[in-house]
Amino acid sequence: MFLTEPPFTVLERSFYEAPTLAVARDLLGQLVVRRFADGEIAVGRIAETEAYTVGDPACHAFRGKSRANAAMWGPPGKAYVHINYGLHYCLNAVTAPDGVPEAVLIRAIEPVQGAARLLRNYTGQEDVTESSACSDKRIGAGPGRLTRAMAITKPDFDGHDLTDAGSALFLARGEKVNDGAVTTTTRIGITKGADYPWRFYITASRWVSRR
DNA sequence: ACAAGGATTACCT
DNA sequence: GGTAATCCTTGTT
């Protein structure tokens, strides 16, 4: 039991029912809260997202349902965790009504709490101080990096309910990010649908994976 | 069974 | 800025 646990306000399911592009934009500034098995809590502020929708050739759901992507068809507010390049886990928040496969990829987080634990997770090294960890880009700048730092795997979290504040992983309300502080660009690392401007990031964030 | 490709990262100049 | 590493998922024999 941690006496200093912040009073997190979980993002309710209705948040994820808005149009996927709006959810991708509005997830900026919100918090990813990870409660580890030993009770320690790490928190990251979302700095970069991408939207993937029905009819979008880059969306994993585009070629139909499979065992690997089934979570995208679930109700909004669930997690879709996929393996990329055979080795990286990527975390998505499922959006759109139940049965409609759309999601938002979380591409970067800024460490808010528990940076030392995140870097320990990432490197396996034990001798990590909070002050050195909090500026290390490896714990949040990139979709594969943030899941590794947060110990988010497909077996553990694919299909997980991100609206369950009592669980090991949920999203909570952070500070609002004004439109003037947001940059919109095309998505990264894809070949199909590469011209859709469906990537959003906090312009001033030092944790954006690429500019 | 096998081959091809992928919502990335790390390491080089 | 460029490229190799790495291996799971999927579609095809």
Side-chain angles (χ1 to χ4, degrees), chain A residues 177-202:
Chain A
V177 177
N178 293 326
D179 285 342
V182 175
T183 298
T184 304
T185 74
T186 54
R187 296 172 294 181
I188 287 180
I190 56 174
T191 53
K192 293 161 289 194
D195 53 335
Y196 298 20
W198 289 359
R199 171 174 176 248
F200 305 90
Y201 66 85
I202 299 173

Side-chain angles (χ1 to χ4, degrees), chain A residues 95-112:
Chain A
T95 58
D98 197 5
V100 179
E102 304 197 348
V104 174
L105 170 66
I106 298 174
R107 287 192 56 91
I109 57 172
E110 305 173 347
V112 171

Side-chain angles (χ1 to χ4, degrees), chain A residues 35-47:
Chain A
R35 181 182 288 114
F36 296 108
D38 64 3
E40 186 173 358
I41 290 177
V43 180
R45 178 174 177 253
I46 297 174

Side-chain angles (χ1 to χ4, degrees), chain A residues 130-187:
Chain A
E130 186 77 12
S131 60
S132 70
C134 66
S135 62
D136 195 310
K137 297 293 185 296
R138 291 177 295 180
I139 63 179
R145 294 194 181 121
L146 73 91
T147 53
R148 179 165 162 181
M150 284 259 177
I152 295 169
T153 67
K154 184 175 180 72
D156 287 342
F157 291 105
D158 189 41
H160 179 84
D161 189 357
L162 296 172
T163 70
D164 180 0
S167 73
L169 178 66
F170 61 95
L171 300 193
R173 201 162 286 289
E175 288 180 18
K176 181 176 164 55
V177 177
N178 293 326
D179 285 342
V182 175
T183 298
T184 304
T185 74
T186 54
R187 296 172 294 181

